[in-house]
Each structure stands twice: as structure tokens, then as C-alpha cells.
Amino acid sequence: MRTSEALHLTMKDVDLADAILTVRDTKFYKSRLVPVAPQLASALRSYAERRSDRPLPEGMASAFLANRDGTQVRKHNVDHAFKRLLEHVGIARRDDGRRTPCLHALRHTAAVHRLTSWYRDGADVQRLLPALSTYLGHADLDGTSVYLSMTPELLHEASACFDRYVNGGHHA
């Protein structure tokens, strides 16, 4: 999810019983359902227990990710907390010109890891790419292609897949 999408989740958008988030009126004025993995669902349940002690100024339309007073957390605060986390673990910009990681980069990383995993599992990647686009909230595959930077792992898996296609599975 985009940071803004997570911050705009309301109490009614978070279905912890079925582990599904409803993301409404996003970047392309679309809504989508986002399934969450069991580990994240568990973390969200723990947070929801703590969240229940905070006010609901707008009832079930109140922000899920809330400050102590029940108001929506601001993006600036999330970005600042992520910056502090990077500093705490010793991740900083290096002199080679690379930018310091940002929270949004995790979307790119997740997309590349998903694609790499599909190749490793022998999945039909071409058939699954539209699902990845939908999951990320993109209007089409062009929007998703920006996220799919080549990594050594992805290149290896794509190369092995191509080799199996050309040589009938005799990749060393």
C-alpha cells in the first residue's frame, strides 16, 4: 500500500476476521480489497486492541492508524519516524550518490520479491502480472513496470525460466 492509503484506512476498512483491508478512492480514484498475510494480520490485531483505547471521533469512519486523541496520523510523522528508524539501525546515504531509502521504496521491493518468488515457484508470471498491478493499485501494467527494477535474483530467475523454455528444462 501507499503510505497515504494506509493512513486513510478507517476502522470500517479493516476486516481483521477475514484479513482484508478495503482501500478506498486511491490515486486513480479506485477502490480495492487488499488481503494481508497472517503475520501482518496478527500485528494489525495487536494494534487494533491498543487502538480500541483511543477515541473514535467519527465512529467507525475514524482513522484506524490514529494518534492518542483518535485523529489520523500525518504522513510527515510517519516519514520522520522512518527516518529515525533508519538512523537507529545505521542506514544512511553513502557517498556513492544513492539516496537514503524511503518508506515508499518498500512497495518496489515487495513487487520485485513477489515477481522473483513467482519465477522460483514456476508460476505463470505473465498471467499473474495483472494481479500484481491490481494489488498495488495500478491502473495498468505500465504503472507496475516502473516498480520492477532488475535485481541479480530476479535476473537469475527470469534467465532460468527462459532457459527452461528454450532448452526444455536443462538449466545447470
Side-chain angles (χ1 to χ4, degrees):
M1 294 176 62
R2 297 172 183 93
T3 303
S4 62
E5 292 172 343
L7 293 177
H8 285 99
L9 288 172
T10 65
M11 298 298 290
K12 67 182 174 195
D13 294 331
V14 181
D15 178 352
L16 296 174
D18 291 326
I20 294 183
L21 306 176
T22 301
V23 180
R24 300 177 194 280
D25 302 323
T26 64
K27 186 175 180 178
F28 300 105
Y29 308 104
K30 291 184 174 186
S31 297
R32 70 185 190 281
L33 300 177
V34 177
V36 295
Q39 187 175 2
L40 177 56
S42 177
L44 289 173
R45 281 187 202 93
S46 294
Y47 172 79
E49 288 177 21
R50 292 188 308 279
R51 171 66 179 95
S52 67
D53 294 335
R54 297 180 183 167
L56 296 172
E58 299 176 41
M60 292 305 285
S62 298
F64 180 72
L65 300 174
N67 295 306
R68 289 185 183 128
D69 65 358
T71 60
Q72 178 183 330
V73 174
R74 293 176 169 256
K75 184 177 183 314
H76 169 77
N77 294 7
V78 173
D79 290 339
H80 181 70
F82 189 71
K83 180 181 176 188
R84 286 182 36 221
L85 175 65
L86 292 175
E87 290 169 358
H88 179 74
V89 298
I91 298 174
R93 181 181 173 140
R94 300 189 309 220
D95 290 337
D96 63 3
R98 289 191 221 175
R99 292 177 33 199
T100 302
C102 64
L103 194 54
H104 190 77
L106 296 177
R107 280 174 53 87
H108 295 256
T109 301
V112 170
H113 282 233
R114 172 55 34 217
L115 193 62
T116 303
S117 173
W118 284 339
Y119 275 117
R120 284 186 181 142
D121 294 344
D124 184 347
V125 174
Q126 295 304 311
R127 184 183 60 78
L128 291 169
L129 277 173
L132 180 61
S133 289
T134 300
Y135 186 77
L136 291 169
H138 293 151
D140 53 42
L141 290 175
D142 288 341
T144 302
S145 67
V146 173
Y147 281 66
L148 302 177
S149 54
M150 191 54 65
T151 64
E153 296 83 7
L154 180 56
L155 182 58
H156 172 77
E157 295 303 327
S159 175
C161 179
F162 181 73
D163 190 59
R164 286 190 299 274
Y165 172 76
V166 170
N167 298 315
H170 302 294
H171 185 66

